Amino acid sequence: QLPASGRRPNLRVQAHDVGLDPPPEGPFDLVHARLLLVHVPERERALAAMASVLRPGGWLVVEEADPGLQPLTCLENRGAAEQLANESPAVRLAGVYAMAGLADDWADKRQVCVDVLCGYLRIPREGDGETEVREAILRVIRDRTTGPWSELDFDFTGVTMENADFARRRFAGEVLFDGAEFVGGVTSFAGAEFEGLVSFHGARFSADETNFGGVTVTSGKVEFVGAEFGGGKLDFADAFFRSSSVAFFRCRFTVPV
């Protein structure tokens, strides 16, 4: 807390627990953390939260005295993270594949890298080339969720997905689609397998066709609380919910099932 003599009218002081609280509303030009991560138990998630609220071209400055944190704060010399924050969509696109490659090669920090990619999707951005960047992130996730990435958690909260294709993918961790919007011609989860929590709270399905045919939930919970199903066609044929907790409370259907 700043003393009264050091306060300025354009300065706002807020209390925030980076280890427990959700990221503050951004985006920000600069996120600066000094001698912070050494005190945070879940350091990877804290770092991913800080990176997720940067604007394109923004700076994340982390100063730590613990040499053991260097591999975390310097993701491959910061190359992939800095590329994702670059103003050029071509550089950001390269950053997507660099971050995915880093996740492939660095098993211990694979979740951190995926959190950064999902965090990018959760921040609304517009402009030339931005659609291609977001499509690339979803594509690298799709391409890897039949292998080691299947064990990870994914947070797509509030993300708009056009022609989302998760057909025949496997998710063993927690997957959040809360408040997400599915648009375009086809949204497909056909034949997908979920083994942990999958949540669609308040999600909106407005693609011309939404396909959950043959989806399997083998454990955990599946929650469609408050979801809205529109568009032209909705298919749950042969869906198998083995989970003991399946919730369709307060759902709204404007399309035949």
Side-chain angles (χ1 to χ4, degrees):
Q1 178 70 40
L2 289 175
S5 60
R7 297 176 189 172
R8 297 291 184 269
N10 63 341
L11 179 66
R12 183 175 59 182
V13 178
Q14 290 182 291
H16 178 74
D17 189 332
V18 71
L20 297 176
D21 297 339
E25 185 176 353
F28 297 100
D29 297 319
L30 169 68
V31 175
H32 179 206
R34 184 172 186 273
L35 302 178
L36 172 69
L37 294 178
V38 69
H39 303 293
V40 179
E42 295 191 17
R43 297 165 180 173
E44 296 92 342
R45 289 188 179 276
L47 182 68
M50 289 187 281
S52 72
V53 295
L54 287 173
R55 69 162 179 81
W59 286 83
L60 172 60
V61 180
V62 179
E63 299 177 81
E64 294 291 340
D66 182 357
L69 290 173
Q70 185 173 0
L72 174 61
T73 57
C74 300
L75 290 175
E76 204 178 44
N77 295 324
R78 301 187 302 276
E82 288 187 351
Q83 285 177 312
L84 283 171
N86 195 280
E87 294 183 1
S88 166
V91 177
R92 296 200 301 277
L93 186 61
V96 171
Y97 293 108
M99 186 65 73
L102 186 59
D104 290 336
D105 297 336
W106 195 8
D108 288 346
K109 297 295 182 282
R110 186 170 292 147
Q111 182 68 65
V112 181
C113 298
V114 168
D115 287 345
V116 171
L117 292 174
C118 290
Y120 184 100
L121 291 175
R122 293 196 302 272
I123 297 178
R125 288 181 171 92
E126 297 180 353
D128 293 340
E130 182 58 27
T131 298
E132 288 77 7
V133 175
R134 292 173 176 269
E135 288 178 347
I137 293 175
L138 291 172
R139 187 162 52 249
V140 300
I141 291 174
R142 170 182 163 74
D143 290 347
R144 288 163 171 80
T145 43
T146 55
W149 286 33
S150 295
E151 307 298 325
L152 304 177
D153 298 333
F154 295 89
D155 187 353
F156 300 111
T157 300
V159 175
T160 297
M161 300 186 186
E162 184 173 1
N163 297 320
D165 184 5
F166 295 101
R168 297 175 297 281
R169 304 299 98 178
R170 173 178 170 267
F171 297 92
E174 180 179 275
V175 188
L176 304 180
F177 293 99
D178 297 342
E181 185 167 2
F182 298 88
V183 299
V186 178
T187 293
S188 181
F189 289 88
E193 182 176 351
F194 296 94
E195 299 175 13
L197 169 68
V198 54
S199 178
F200 292 94
H201 284 234
R204 296 179 297 279
F205 298 88
S206 57
D208 295 338
E209 178 181 346
T210 299
N211 189 353
F212 282 92
V215 69
T216 301
V217 181
T218 56
S219 58
K221 298 187 294 184
V222 56
E223 299 178 349
F224 288 93
V225 177
E228 298 182 9
F229 295 90
K233 180 180 179 182
L234 175 61
D235 186 356
F236 274 94
D238 298 320
F240 180 65
F241 299 107
R242 185 183 299 170
S243 169
S244 61
S245 178
V246 180
F248 282 89
F249 302 131
R250 300 192 302 277
C251 286
R252 182 168 177 261
F253 294 88
T254 60
V255 60
V257 181

